Coordinates of all heavy atoms in Angstrom, one line a residue:
T69 N 45.2 -98.2 5.4 CA 44.8 -96.9 5.9 C 43.3 -96.6 5.6 O 42.5 -96.1 6.5 CB 45.6 -95.8 5.2 OG1 47.0 -96.0 5.5 CG2 45.2 -94.4 5.7
L70 N 42.8 -97.0 4.4 CA 41.4 -96.8 4.1 C 40.5 -97.7 5.0 O 39.5 -97.2 5.4 CB 41.2 -97.2 2.6 CG 41.8 -96.2 1.6 CD1 41.5 -96.7 0.2 CD2 41.1 -94.8 1.7
F71 N 41.0 -98.9 5.3 CA 40.2 -99.8 6.1 C 40.1 -99.2 7.5 O 39.0 -99.2 8.1 CB 40.9 -101.2 6.2 CG 40.2 -102.1 7.1 CD1 39.0 -102.7 6.8 CD2 40.7 -102.4 8.4 CE1 38.4 -103.6 7.6 CE2 40.1 -103.2 9.3 CZ 38.9 -103.9 8.9
I72 N 41.1 -98.6 8.1 CA 41.1 -98.0 9.4 C 40.2 -96.8 9.4 O 39.4 -96.6 10.4 CB 42.5 -97.6 9.8 CG1 43.4 -98.9 10.0 CG2 42.5 -96.8 11.1 CD1 44.8 -98.6 10.3
I73 N 40.2 -96.0 8.4 CA 39.3 -94.8 8.3 C 37.9 -95.2 8.3 O 37.0 -94.6 9.0 CB 39.7 -93.9 7.1 CG1 41.1 -93.3 7.3 CG2 38.7 -92.8 6.9 CD1 41.6 -92.5 6.1
V74 N 37.6 -96.2 7.4 CA 36.2 -96.7 7.3 C 35.7 -97.3 8.7 O 34.6 -97.1 9.1 CB 36.1 -97.7 6.2 CG1 34.7 -98.4 6.2 CG2 36.3 -97.1 4.8
L75 N 36.6 -98.0 9.3 CA 36.3 -98.6 10.6 C 36.0 -97.6 11.6 O 35.0 -97.6 12.4 CB 37.4 -99.5 11.1 CG 37.2 -100.3 12.4 CD1 36.0 -101.2 12.2 CD2 38.4 -101.1 12.8
I76 N 36.8 -96.5 11.7 CA 36.5 -95.4 12.6 C 35.2 -94.7 12.3 O 34.5 -94.4 13.2 CB 37.7 -94.4 12.6 CG1 39.0 -95.1 13.1 CG2 37.4 -93.2 13.4 CD1 40.2 -94.2 13.0
G77 N 34.9 -94.4 11.0 CA 33.7 -93.8 10.6 C 32.5 -94.6 11.0 O 31.5 -94.1 11.6
L78 N 32.5 -95.9 10.8 CA 31.4 -96.8 11.1 C 31.2 -96.8 12.7 O 30.0 -96.8 13.2 CB 31.6 -98.2 10.6 CG 31.5 -98.3 9.1 CD1 31.8 -99.8 8.7 CD2 30.1 -98.0 8.6
T79 N 32.3 -96.8 13.4 CA 32.2 -96.9 14.9 C 31.5 -95.6 15.4 O 30.7 -95.6 16.3 CB 33.6 -97.1 15.5 OG1 34.2 -98.2 15.0 CG2 33.5 -97.2 17.0
T80 N 32.0 -94.4 14.8 CA 31.4 -93.2 15.2 C 29.9 -93.1 14.9 O 29.1 -92.6 15.7 CB 32.1 -92.0 14.5 OG1 33.5 -92.1 14.7 CG2 31.6 -90.7 14.9
L81 N 29.5 -93.6 13.7 CA 28.1 -93.5 13.4 C 27.3 -94.4 14.3 O 26.1 -94.1 14.7 CB 27.9 -94.0 11.9 CG 28.4 -93.0 10.8 CD1 28.3 -93.7 9.5 CD2 27.7 -91.7 10.9
I82 N 27.8 -95.6 14.6 CA 27.1 -96.5 15.5 C 26.9 -95.9 16.9 O 25.8 -95.9 17.5 CB 27.8 -97.8 15.6 CG1 27.7 -98.6 14.3 CG2 27.3 -98.7 16.8 CD1 28.6 -99.8 14.2
I83 N 28.0 -95.2 17.4 CA 27.9 -94.6 18.7 C 26.9 -93.4 18.8 O 26.2 -93.2 19.7 CB 29.3 -94.2 19.2 CG1 30.2 -95.4 19.4 CG2 29.2 -93.3 20.5 CD1 31.6 -95.1 19.8
A84 N 26.9 -92.6 17.7 CA 26.1 -91.4 17.6 C 24.6 -91.7 17.3 O 23.8 -91.0 17.9 CB 26.7 -90.4 16.6
F85 N 24.3 -92.6 16.4 CA 23.0 -92.7 15.9 C 22.3 -94.1 16.2 O 21.2 -94.3 15.6 CB 23.0 -92.4 14.4 CG 23.5 -91.1 14.1 CD1 24.8 -91.0 13.5 CD2 22.8 -89.9 14.3 CE1 25.3 -89.7 13.2 CE2 23.3 -88.7 13.9 CZ 24.5 -88.6 13.4
S86 N 22.8 -94.9 17.0 CA 22.2 -96.2 17.2 C 22.1 -96.5 18.7 O 22.9 -96.0 19.5 CB 22.9 -97.3 16.5 OG 24.2 -97.6 17.2
P87 N 21.1 -97.3 19.1 CA 21.0 -97.7 20.6 C 22.2 -98.5 21.1 O 22.3 -98.7 22.3 CB 19.7 -98.5 20.6 CG 19.0 -98.2 19.3 CD 20.1 -97.9 18.3
L88 N 23.1 -99.0 20.2 CA 24.2 -99.8 20.7 C 25.1 -99.0 21.6 O 25.9 -99.7 22.4 CB 25.0 -100.3 19.4 CG 24.3 -101.3 18.5 CD1 25.2 -101.6 17.3 CD2 23.9 -102.5 19.3
R89 N 25.1 -97.7 21.5 CA 26.0 -96.9 22.4 C 25.6 -97.1 23.9 O 26.5 -96.8 24.8 CB 25.9 -95.4 22.1 CG 24.5 -94.8 22.4 CD 24.6 -93.3 22.1 NE 23.3 -92.6 22.3 CZ 22.4 -92.5 21.4 NH1 22.5 -93.0 20.2 NH2 21.2 -91.9 21.7
E90 N 24.4 -97.6 24.2 CA 24.1 -97.8 25.6 C 24.9 -98.9 26.2 O 25.0 -99.0 27.4 CB 22.6 -98.2 25.7 CG 21.7 -97.0 25.2 CD 20.2 -97.4 25.3 OE1 19.9 -98.5 25.8 OE2 19.3 -96.6 24.8
Y91 N 25.5 -99.8 25.3 CA 26.3 -100.9 25.9 C 27.7 -100.5 26.1 O 28.6 -101.3 26.5 CB 26.2 -102.1 24.9 CG 24.8 -102.7 24.8 CD1 24.0 -102.3 23.7 CD2 24.3 -103.5 25.7 CE1 22.7 -102.7 23.6 CE2 23.0 -104.0 25.6 CZ 22.2 -103.6 24.5 OH 20.9 -104.1 24.4
I92 N 28.1 -99.3 25.7 CA 29.4 -98.8 25.9 C 29.6 -98.1 27.2 O 28.7 -97.3 27.6 CB 29.8 -97.8 24.8 CG1 29.7 -98.4 23.4 CG2 31.2 -97.2 25.0 CD1 29.9 -97.5 22.2
P93 N 30.5 -98.5 28.0 CA 30.7 -97.9 29.4 C 30.8 -96.4 29.3 O 31.6 -95.9 28.4 CB 32.0 -98.5 29.9 CG 32.1 -99.8 29.1 CD 31.5 -99.6 27.8
G94 N 30.1 -95.7 30.1 CA 30.1 -94.2 30.1 C 28.9 -93.6 29.5 O 28.7 -92.4 29.7
Y95 N 28.1 -94.3 28.7 CA 26.9 -93.8 28.0 C 25.7 -94.3 28.8 O 25.5 -95.4 29.1 CB 26.9 -94.2 26.6 CG 27.8 -93.5 25.7 CD1 29.1 -94.0 25.5 CD2 27.4 -92.3 25.0 CE1 30.0 -93.3 24.6 CE2 28.3 -91.7 24.2 CZ 29.6 -92.2 24.0 OH 30.5 -91.5 23.2
S96 N 24.8 -93.3 29.1 CA 23.6 -93.6 29.8 C 22.5 -94.1 28.9 O 22.5 -93.8 27.7 CB 23.1 -92.4 30.6 OG 22.8 -91.4 29.7
S97 N 21.6 -94.9 29.4 CA 20.5 -95.5 28.6 C 19.4 -94.4 28.4 O 19.1 -93.6 29.3 CB 20.0 -96.7 29.3 OG 18.8 -97.1 28.7
T98 N 18.9 -94.4 27.2 CA 17.8 -93.5 26.9 C 16.6 -93.8 27.8 O 15.8 -92.9 28.3 CB 17.4 -93.6 25.4 OG1 18.5 -93.3 24.6 CG2 16.3 -92.6 25.1
R99 N 16.3 -95.1 28.0 CA 15.2 -95.5 28.9 C 15.4 -95.0 30.3 O 14.5 -94.6 31.0 CB 15.1 -97.1 28.9 CG 14.0 -97.6 29.7 CD 13.9 -99.1 29.5 NE 15.2 -99.8 29.9 CZ 15.5 -100.1 31.1 NH1 14.7 -99.8 32.1 NH2 16.7 -100.7 31.3
L100 N 16.6 -95.1 30.8 CA 16.9 -94.6 32.1 C 16.7 -93.1 32.2 O 16.2 -92.6 33.2 CB 18.3 -94.9 32.6 CG 18.6 -96.4 32.8 CD1 20.1 -96.6 33.1 CD2 17.7 -97.0 33.9
K101 N 17.1 -92.4 31.2 CA 16.9 -90.9 31.2 C 15.4 -90.6 31.2 O 14.9 -89.7 32.0 CB 17.5 -90.3 29.9 CG 19.0 -90.2 29.9 CD 19.5 -89.5 28.7 CE 21.0 -89.4 28.7 NZ 21.5 -88.7 27.5
R102 N 14.6 -91.3 30.4 CA 13.1 -91.1 30.4 C 12.5 -91.4 31.8 O 11.7 -90.7 32.3 CB 12.5 -91.9 29.3 CG 11.0 -91.7 29.2 CD 10.4 -92.3 27.9 NE 10.7 -93.8 27.9 CZ 11.6 -94.4 27.1 NH1 12.3 -93.6 26.2 NH2 11.8 -95.7 27.1
Q103 N 13.0 -92.5 32.4 CA 12.5 -92.9 33.7 C 12.8 -91.8 34.8 O 12.0 -91.5 35.6 CB 13.0 -94.2 34.1 CG 12.4 -95.4 33.3 CD 13.0 -96.7 33.8 OE1 13.9 -96.8 34.5 NE2 12.4 -97.8 33.2
A104 N 14.1 -91.3 34.6 CA 14.5 -90.3 35.6 C 13.7 -89.0 35.5 O 13.3 -88.4 36.5 CB 16.0 -89.9 35.4
T105 N 13.3 -88.6 34.2 CA 12.5 -87.4 34.0 C 11.1 -87.6 34.6 O 10.5 -86.8 35.3 CB 12.4 -87.1 32.5 OG1 13.7 -86.9 32.0 CG2 11.6 -85.9 32.3
E106 N 10.5 -88.8 34.3 CA 9.2 -89.1 34.9 C 9.2 -89.1 36.4 O 8.2 -88.6 37.0 CB 8.7 -90.5 34.3 CG 8.4 -90.4 32.8 CD 8.1 -91.8 32.3 OE1 8.1 -92.8 33.1 OE2 7.7 -91.9 31.1
L107 N 10.2 -89.7 37.0 CA 10.3 -89.7 38.4 C 10.4 -88.3 39.0 O 9.9 -88.1 40.1 CB 11.5 -90.6 38.9 CG 11.3 -92.1 38.6 CD1 12.6 -92.9 39.0 CD2 10.1 -92.7 39.5
T108 N 11.1 -87.5 38.3 CA 11.3 -86.1 38.8 C 9.9 -85.4 38.9 O 9.6 -84.7 39.9 CB 12.2 -85.3 37.9 OG1 13.5 -85.9 37.8 CG2 12.4 -83.9 38.3
Y109 N 9.1 -85.5 37.8 CA 7.8 -84.9 37.8 C 6.9 -85.6 38.9 O 6.1 -84.9 39.6 CB 7.1 -85.1 36.4 CG 7.7 -84.2 35.4 CD1 8.2 -84.8 34.2 CD2 7.7 -82.9 35.5 CE1 8.8 -84.0 33.2 CE2 8.3 -82.1 34.5 CZ 8.8 -82.6 33.4 OH 9.4 -81.8 32.4
K110 N 7.0 -86.9 39.0 CA 6.2 -87.5 40.1 C 6.6 -87.1 41.5 O 5.7 -86.9 42.3 CB 6.3 -89.1 39.9 CG 5.6 -89.6 38.7 CD 5.8 -91.2 38.7 CE 5.1 -91.7 37.4 NZ 5.3 -93.2 37.3
T111 N 7.9 -87.0 41.7 CA 8.4 -86.5 43.0 C 7.9 -85.1 43.3 O 7.4 -84.8 44.4 CB 9.9 -86.5 43.0 OG1 10.4 -87.8 42.7 CG2 10.4 -86.1 44.4
D112 N 7.9 -84.2 42.3 CA 7.4 -82.9 42.5 C 5.9 -82.9 42.9 O 5.5 -82.2 43.8 CB 7.7 -82.0 41.3 CG 7.2 -80.6 41.5 OD1 7.9 -79.9 42.3 OD2 6.3 -80.2 40.8
S113 N 5.2 -83.7 42.2 CA 3.7 -83.8 42.5 C 3.5 -84.4 43.9 O 2.6 -83.9 44.6 CB 3.0 -84.7 41.5 OG 3.2 -84.1 40.2
L114 N 4.3 -85.4 44.3 CA 4.1 -86.0 45.6 C 4.5 -85.0 46.7 O 3.8 -85.0 47.8 CB 5.0 -87.3 45.7 CG 4.5 -88.5 44.8 CD1 5.6 -89.6 44.9 CD2 3.2 -89.0 45.3
V115 N 5.5 -84.2 46.5 CA 5.9 -83.2 47.5 C 4.7 -82.2 47.7 O 4.4 -81.8 48.8 CB 7.2 -82.5 47.1 CG1 7.4 -81.3 47.9 CG2 8.3 -83.4 47.1
T116 N 4.1 -81.8 46.6 CA 3.0 -80.9 46.7 C 1.8 -81.5 47.5 O 1.2 -80.9 48.4 CB 2.5 -80.5 45.3 OG1 3.6 -79.9 44.6 CG2 1.3 -79.5 45.4

Side-chain angles (χ1 to χ4, degrees):
T69 302
L70 291 176
F71 177 77
I72 293 174
I73 293 175
V74 172
L75 182 62
I76 293 174
L78 289 176
T79 304
T80 304
L81 292 175
I82 291 174
I83 294 175
F85 301 105
S86 72
L88 293 177
R89 65 177 180 273
E90 297 179 4
Y91 298 97
I92 301 176
Y95 285 89
S96 60
S97 170
T98 304
R99 181 174 58 83
L100 291 177
K101 287 183 177 180
R102 183 169 57 254
Q103 290 179 352
T105 303
E106 293 175 355
L107 289 175
T108 300
Y109 288 122
K110 289 181 180 179
T111 303
D112 183 66
S113 300
L114 289 175
V115 169
T116 303

